Amino acid sequence: MTTSDDGEHAVMQRLRGMWERRDPVPPDLARRVTAALAGLSIDEEYRQLVLLSRGPALAGTRAVAITEIPPVRMEFADADVSLLVRVAEAPHGARRMDGWIVPAGHYEVALRQGSRSWTRQTDEAGRFVFEAIPAGSTTLRFIATERDVERPFGTTVFDI
């Protein structure tokens, strides 16, 4: 180091010492920052899938013969939005998806399976239907079309 570097280093050390005395770093700062950063993604992680039902209502009774895939009802939710989805078998091994989003309103709904996607518009009650969708891993994404929304809502991956 040169003499000017030594002088600059000494000034910086004194400045650092002054700030450490006047405004010390809180001892739990690293933990609090880590918690705050983790909290930024909590809305994304909170979106959860609740399997409401799967299977015929009368499973196990003698008179019921299971000849088709029973409907599946799922609920997705985060802090601001709830979504109820019912998936049933459709002709030729395809699936029919009926959904309801709350708060109701007009949304563009995108259903994605890998590189394939389909879109629909909800009605004023927040309802939508996808018919003849192939079975597979699926996500849904909603964007409000009639009012300002801070962020779109989407589901985690689920199988239909």
Side-chain angles (χ1 to χ4, degrees), residues 46-69:
Y46 177 71
R47 289 184 192 158
Q48 58 184 343
L49 167 63
V50 178
L51 181 60
L52 297 178
S53 68
R54 178 178 217 123
L58 301 174
T61 59
R62 287 188 228 178
V64 175
I66 301 173
T67 58
E68 62 182 42
I69 298 169

Side-chain angles (χ1 to χ4, degrees), residues 65-140:
I66 301 173
T67 58
E68 62 182 42
I69 298 169
V72 177
R73 289 181 262 321
M74 297 169 275
E75 180 180 2
F76 296 88
D78 75 359
D80 304 318
V81 179
S82 291
L83 168 67
L84 181 63
V85 173
R86 179 183 181 273
V87 180
E89 187 176 24
H92 309 294
R95 305 290 184 264
R96 174 189 167 104
M97 178 184 294
D98 295 273
W100 300 267
I101 188 165
V102 175
H106 293 280
Y107 295 84
E108 179 181 286
V109 184
L111 183 150
R112 292 194 178 106
Q113 292 180 337
S115 62
R116 298 174 296 181
S117 67
W118 298 263
T119 59
R120 300 287 186 273
Q121 297 291 322
T122 63
D123 64 16
E124 62 279 346
R127 294 179 182 212
F128 61 93
V129 175
F130 287 97
E131 295 184 24
I133 299 297
S137 295
T138 303
T139 61
L140 293 171

